[in-house]
Amino acid sequence: MTDTKDDVKDSGPESGTQAPAARQAPEEVPRPRGLGPAGWLRWGWRQLTTMRTALILLFLVALGAVPGSILPQRGQAPEKVAAYLDEHRTLGPWLDRFSMFDVFAAPWFAAIYILLFVSLAGCVIPRAVKHYRSMRARPPAAPRNLARLPQSATFETDASPEDVLAEARKALRGRRFRVDVSSGAASAEKGYLGETGNLLFHLALLALLFALGIGNLFGYRGDVLLMEGRTFANSLNQYDQFTPGRAFDDGELAPFTVSLDDFKAEYETGGDKRGQATEFNAKIRYRETPDGGQKTHDLQINHPLKVGGAKVYLLGHGYAPTFTVRDAKGNVAFQDSVPFLEMEPRNLTSEGVIKAPDAEPDQLAFYAILWPTAMASEDGKQIVSAFPAPLRPVITITSFKGDIGLDSGSPQSVYKLEGIGTTLQPVKDGQKLLEPGETFQLPGGAGSVTFDGLKEYATLSVNHDPGRIPALVAAILAVLGVATSFMVRRRRVWVRAGAGEGGRTVVEVGGLTLGSPTSEFDDIVTALRGPEREPGPGEPDEPREPDGPATESKE
């Protein structure tokens, strides 16, 4: 049979036949739509509020705190930061760019901290709501085959199914189960306290982070050196070092005062521990308000003073020799006690400087070293301190004259002399060893310096942390929550009663415990059996235990 032109025409679309597949245009397949802004936000929120993300952020917080513990921080020791930058000219500026000298105020640390807080809140709060609803819901219905549960038992009884279920309700409620009876079975459940403890731990951790944030925002910490016979007023200009919170207002400082009357330190006098401090005791007087009554307190290590919403801690102590400096005209240019900083902590060899800018015609300055208990070294070539207590205090003086540099307006450390060799020149033969009461007449009639005596000082730390008590409560709740979550396990028991052969009632009991099975199930079965009797035909002698290991339930 041959095709004609008409036949070809009739085979086109007009004839209702379909063109070959190769000639058909492919059908349009709908392209998948993107998540869109809202979808990406939902996805990001889900990722942020997972426990995995919270653990990663917690690790990053701990990792970010490492440089804050190793490197000096501007809030605590700005002079050490400056010294570090001076010693490390290449590495130091790079570390400073990443806020390594101000870690806990750095934007990246605050971002990690806030993300951790949000992650925990978004993870724990929905879990707490779901847990509350689960506690209020009815216990789950009995499975179809109780014999497949990790713990199960079957027995027969003459009691009716209604009586068996009533007895099961009574027995299970006596063991503090939540019980629901329906469809010929009793469902019981308890142990939600374990999950409550787990949630309590995480909520307490959330509260702890919040309390720490409140303390860092609205609290403050300051250090002050207080000499015997002096008074410290809680104002900003009285602090040697002050670190306020980000949202702290200087006007919130409580107007209390602290006076140091006497400081006593006791040391070991023999053995390998000779010279080791055994007790520090600072006898102080304080007023909570300027017109308030005066109170006394013995300030000791780990026994702070609570005043004005702050705690005053005793950090350490040192010596403050008293000097009288007279200039070339015989006028008193300086008379005061000067705190010395320890050079050798075991026996408290200390150093300090005395500045007399009012001396005429040349300003005077002195560098001094104090040995609390002076003695000659073993080779007899130098002086050393044999004991930290001031048994025989001796001071060596090195004298300078010229321009101290205080009039230039540039800030200076009270523990360091500036311009030695340039504006400040050493006095020839201006060195002298002094004991209390001795005077050194400077060569050339430049003046004199007298070592009048020795006082002690205490270094105090004033700490105001409004988040301290909430943080303590949160820490206690976290410990209780963890202990509860480990001690309490969720348990479920089902009892089904139905008619059996011979008019007897067949009772099936099944149990499921998170973790390994407990003996509580056996006690429940024994209570349901009633008085001891011979087991019926086909009835096991004891409740059956599973052959394999118990499996945990998954809800």
Side-chain angles (χ1 to χ4, degrees):
M1 183 175 179
T2 60
D3 294 334
T4 64
K5 293 182 179 180
D6 294 336
D7 294 330
V8 173
K9 292 180 180 180
D10 293 339
S11 65
E14 294 80 0
S15 62
T17 61
Q18 188 174 7
R23 298 181 182 179
Q24 291 181 8
E27 295 183 2
E28 290 292 334
V29 179
R31 296 182 179 181
R33 298 178 61 185
L35 292 178
W40 281 110
L41 287 174
R42 285 193 297 269
W43 179 85
W45 176 255
R46 292 193 196 102
Q47 297 302 313
L48 178 62
T49 55
T50 60
M51 188 56 66
R52 180 183 67 254
T53 303
L55 292 175
I56 293 174
L57 291 171
L58 188 61
F59 172 76
L60 290 178
V61 167
L63 188 64
V66 171
S69 303
I70 297 176
L71 297 173
Q73 300 296 294
R74 282 195 173 89
Q76 287 75 36
E79 70 284 354
K80 292 183 179 180
V81 174
Y84 188 94
L85 291 173
D86 187 60
E87 293 175 5
H88 303 81
R89 299 295 181 91
T90 302
L91 179 62
W94 280 101
L95 293 175
D96 200 15
R97 287 189 182 96
F98 292 99
S99 303
M100 291 300 174
F101 302 112
D102 202 7
V103 168
F104 303 106
W108 57 265
F109 189 85
I112 297 174
Y113 191 90
I114 293 173
L115 285 175
L116 174 61
F117 187 88
V118 174
S119 177
L120 282 175
C123 177
V124 175
I125 294 177
R127 277 182 59 194
V129 174
K130 183 179 179 181
H131 176 64
Y132 176 76
R133 291 174 179 172
S134 299
M135 292 177 61
R136 303 289 296 177
R138 298 169 60 183
R144 180 176 300 177
N145 192 347
L146 295 180
R148 292 183 178 180
L149 295 177
Q151 291 178 291
S152 64
T154 304
F155 61 89
E156 294 184 0
T157 180
D158 294 329
S160 65
E162 292 77 11
D163 292 339
V164 171
L165 295 180
E167 183 64 25
R169 178 197 291 269
K170 179 180 179 182
L172 291 171
R173 283 188 171 176
R175 294 178 177 272
R176 305 182 69 83
F177 279 85
R178 293 189 305 116
V179 185
D180 179 62
V181 178
S182 61
S183 302
S187 303
E189 185 178 33
K190 75 174 181 179
Y192 274 94
L193 190 60
E195 178 65 12
T196 302
N198 185 281
L199 288 172
L200 177 63
F201 166 74
H202 288 91
L203 289 172
L205 182 60
L206 194 64
L208 181 62
L209 290 174
F210 184 76
L212 293 176
I214 290 295
N216 289 330
L217 279 176
F218 300 100
Y220 68 86
R221 178 177 178 176
D223 296 334
V224 61
L225 186 150
L226 186 59
M227 289 187 287
E228 290 177 330
R230 301 288 179 87
T231 298
F232 160 73
N234 188 35
S235 60
L236 194 59
N237 60 355
Q238 293 278 303
Y239 282 98
D240 299 318
Q241 181 177 310
F242 188 79
T243 307
R246 295 293 173 182
F248 178 76
D249 185 3
D250 298 345
E252 298 176 6
L253 289 172
F256 64 84
T257 58
V258 177
S259 302
L260 178 61
D261 291 334
D262 187 31
F263 184 89
K264 294 293 184 184
E266 296 183 4
Y267 305 93
E268 292 283 353
T269 58
D272 296 336
K273 296 183 179 180
R274 185 176 186 273
Q276 181 175 327
T278 58
E279 183 180 0
F280 292 149
N281 189 354
K283 295 187 177 297
I284 62 174
R285 291 175 291 112
Y286 68 95
R287 298 177 187 268
E288 296 194 11
T289 58
D291 55 352
Q294 194 173 75
K295 302 177 183 178
T296 60
H297 181 79
D298 288 342
L299 190 62
Q300 299 179 2
I301 300 293
N302 297 326
H303 290 82
L305 167 67
K306 299 178 182 179
V307 57
K311 284 189 175 183
V312 181
Y313 296 89
L314 176 62
L315 297 182
H317 80 112
Y319 294 107
T322 302
F323 298 95
T324 299
V325 178
R326 296 180 181 273
D327 59 18
K329 298 180 179 180
N331 299 322
V332 176
F334 177 87
Q335 189 174 35
D336 202 355
S337 299
V338 180
F340 278 31
L341 300 180
E342 64 181 33
M343 301 169 58
E344 184 261 319
R346 182 175 180 84
N347 292 313
L348 290 184
T349 301
S350 307
E351 64 177 347
V353 298
I354 306 102
K355 300 179 182 180
D358 296 332
E360 295 179 353
D362 294 319
Q363 296 180 350
L364 299 177
F366 305 89
Y367 171 76
I369 298 178
L370 166 69
W371 291 279
T373 302
M375 64 173 293
S377 61
E378 294 182 357
D379 57 8
K381 295 182 179 180
Q382 59 182 353
I383 301 175
V384 296
S385 180
F387 199 70
L391 304 181
R392 189 199 172 194
V394 171
I395 283 181
T396 58
I397 289 286
T398 302
S399 309
F400 300 87
K401 66 179 181 179
D403 183 8
I404 298 175
L406 295 179
D407 297 334
S408 64
S410 300
Q412 288 190 14
S413 171
V414 296
Y415 304 106
K416 185 178 179 181
L417 291 178
E418 304 286 348
I420 295 179
T422 55
T423 60
L424 199 60
Q425 301 297 329
V427 176
K428 186 178 180 180
D429 298 327
Q431 295 183 342
K432 182 69 174 178
L433 190 70
L434 298 176
E435 294 187 9
E438 293 184 346
T439 299
F440 174 41
Q441 297 290 338
L442 301 182
S448 66
V449 55
T450 302
F451 178 22
D452 296 319
L454 194 63
K455 291 184 177 181
E456 295 191 62
Y457 67 80
T459 52
L460 308 179
S461 175
V462 183
N463 190 357
H464 172 65
D465 185 1
R468 182 181 67 252
I469 300 300
L472 176 62
V473 173
I476 293 174
L477 291 177
V479 173
L480 291 177
V482 168
T484 303
S485 66
F486 281 113
M487 294 173 61
V488 180
R489 292 179 293 172
R490 189 181 301 180
R491 287 147 288 175
R492 289 174 176 171
V493 176
W494 293 274
V495 180
R496 180 181 286 123
E501 296 180 359
R504 295 171 63 83
T505 299
V506 178
V507 182
E508 296 178 88
V509 186
L512 185 63
T513 302
L514 287 178
S516 58
T518 63
S519 60
E520 183 181 35
F521 179 80
D522 300 335
D523 298 336
I524 293 172
V525 173
T526 301
L528 294 177
R529 281 180 181 274
E532 291 293 334
R533 58 180 178 81
E534 292 296 328
E539 183 177 344
D541 294 337
E542 297 292 340
R544 184 179 65 82
E545 295 289 344
D547 296 332
T551 58
E552 296 185 1
S553 68
K554 298 185 180 297
E555 298 186 35

